[in-house]
Amino acid sequence: MIPAAFEYHRPSTLQDAVALLGRLGDEAKVLAGGQSLIPLMKLRLVSPRHVVDLNRISGLGAIVEQGGTLVIGALVRESELEASELVRHRLPILADACRVIADPLVRNLATVGGNLAHGDPANDHPAVMLALGAEVVAIGPQGSRRIPVAEFFTGPLETALRAGEILTEIHIPLPPPRSGGAYLKLERKVGDFATAAVGVQITLAGGDACTQAGIGLTNVGPTPIKARRAEALLKGRRLDDAAIREAAEAAAGESDPAEDLRGSVAYKRDLVRVLTARALRRALERAAH
């Protein structure tokens, strides 16, 4: 449980960090909260020759509202997001997720940016960001670019970040009135990865028809899953029991789980169905208030 030897770097600016990563190449790993990287290093599943610590870089730790968008800095700790009144008031789905990520000790160190950049389909934020239609901002040798979260997760533990790029911000469009969201997770014990989890975000029109719907699935495929068929079934419809049931069944069909100690494929798909229906009902309640 001791990492292999590595050289430690602590740049003070983003420009220095990008330059370091450009020089060190594939032999370097970025450290934010370290709650994914350090355990992997201890188990020697990864053994980088260089670790680039971002924690001295200023400007990456804010949670602010800018022109109808919630901007979350990549170094915002999970505990800070959990405590944010802005998040609890405007994005209940995100507050739901923060409360069930690992345990309080981990949340004091773990970062939102690291959770996404790690690209783990078992992490909680990816499904929530898929449901919310978020974008990430990355800075690298070629400058800054914005990547829709729906295009960000490219494979198991793989993302659209290019060589030398650093995820710096997450941008979430703040929902209009009569919107609601929810994130529901089943885990074997507190702090465990999800057996399955579902994030739902909806917006209702004046006549109670659903005008926008986002659904993200956690740990039921090789990447986080955006349940597009289920979303399409909801749009333009009143969210009665029949619509919720159809969408939940569609989401289960879009999942692609693997059998493991947490359960069989059939069990996990049925869990997606149940959690999707429950999350939709909770989101509907929140949208109505």
Side-chain angles (χ1 to χ4, degrees):
M1 299 293 287
I2 299 175
F6 61 89
E7 187 172 348
Y8 176 75
H9 307 266
R10 199 169 187 182
S12 57
T13 68
L14 268 174
Q15 292 75 15
D16 289 345
V18 169
L20 261 176
L21 291 175
R23 177 165 58 84
L24 300 174
D26 293 340
E27 295 184 335
K29 288 286 186 183
V30 170
L31 174 70
Q35 300 306 290
S36 296
L37 177 62
I38 291 175
L40 292 176
M41 290 173 63
K42 286 183 174 182
L43 293 170
R44 301 209 178 189
L45 295 174
V46 296
S47 297
R49 293 184 60 186
H50 301 270
V51 171
V52 179
D53 185 346
L54 303 182
N55 284 279
R56 260 192 194 163
I57 298 174
S58 62
L60 300 181
I63 306 170
V64 295
E65 183 177 350
Q66 293 179 353
T69 299
L70 182 70
V71 180
I72 303 171
L75 291 183
V76 169
R77 310 292 166 176
E78 299 291 354
S79 57
E80 295 171 332
L81 203 61
E82 185 179 10
S84 168
E85 185 61 33
L86 176 60
V87 169
R88 286 198 299 268
H89 178 63
R90 300 299 301 273
L91 293 170
I93 180 178
L94 189 52
D96 288 348
C98 291
R99 285 192 291 270
V100 296
I101 292 173
D103 54 51
L105 291 175
V106 170
R107 293 199 292 273
N108 283 336
L109 290 172
T111 63
V112 184
N115 189 288
L116 294 172
H118 188 51
D120 192 336
N123 281 351
D124 295 289
H125 280 308
V128 171
M129 299 303 174
L130 285 169
L132 287 168
E135 292 183 327
V136 302
V137 177
I139 291 180
Q142 307 304 316
S144 174
R145 66 188 182 111
R146 294 173 68 150
I147 310 166
V149 167
E151 301 170 9
F152 187 67
F153 304 106
T154 58
L157 302 178
E158 295 179 353
T159 71
L161 289 174
R162 297 170 183 161
E165 282 190 328
I166 297 170
L167 191 158
T168 59
E169 292 178 342
I170 302 100
H171 289 206
I172 303 172
L174 287 168
R178 304 206 72 207
S179 296
Y183 183 72
L184 296 181
K185 172 180 180 177
L186 181 71
E187 54 194 345
R188 296 179 299 177
K189 59 182 178 62
V190 173
D192 192 15
F193 287 119
T195 301
V198 177
V200 166
Q201 181 70 27
I202 59 169
T203 298
L204 304 179
D208 287 344
C210 177
T211 58
Q212 296 180 44
I215 301 176
L217 311 180
T218 297
N219 211 18
V220 286
T223 66
I225 293 171
K226 184 171 176 62
R228 298 180 187 275
R229 292 199 302 274
E231 293 172 351
L233 282 170
L234 295 171
K235 292 178 184 177
R237 295 180 66 180
R238 185 182 178 88
L239 299 189
D240 55 18
D241 287 344
I244 289 173
R245 183 172 60 252
E246 288 178 35
E249 290 172 354
E254 292 179 82
S255 68
D256 184 24
E259 183 170 352
D260 58 20
L261 294 175
R262 293 181 175 87
S264 67
V265 169
Y267 170 70
K268 292 181 179 181
R269 283 201 172 119
D270 200 49
L271 190 54
V272 170
R273 179 187 64 80
V274 171
L275 291 176
T276 301
R278 290 180 181 177
L280 278 167
R281 290 190 174 97
R282 183 172 295 180
L284 189 58
E285 290 174 3
R286 289 171 169 174
H289 290 87

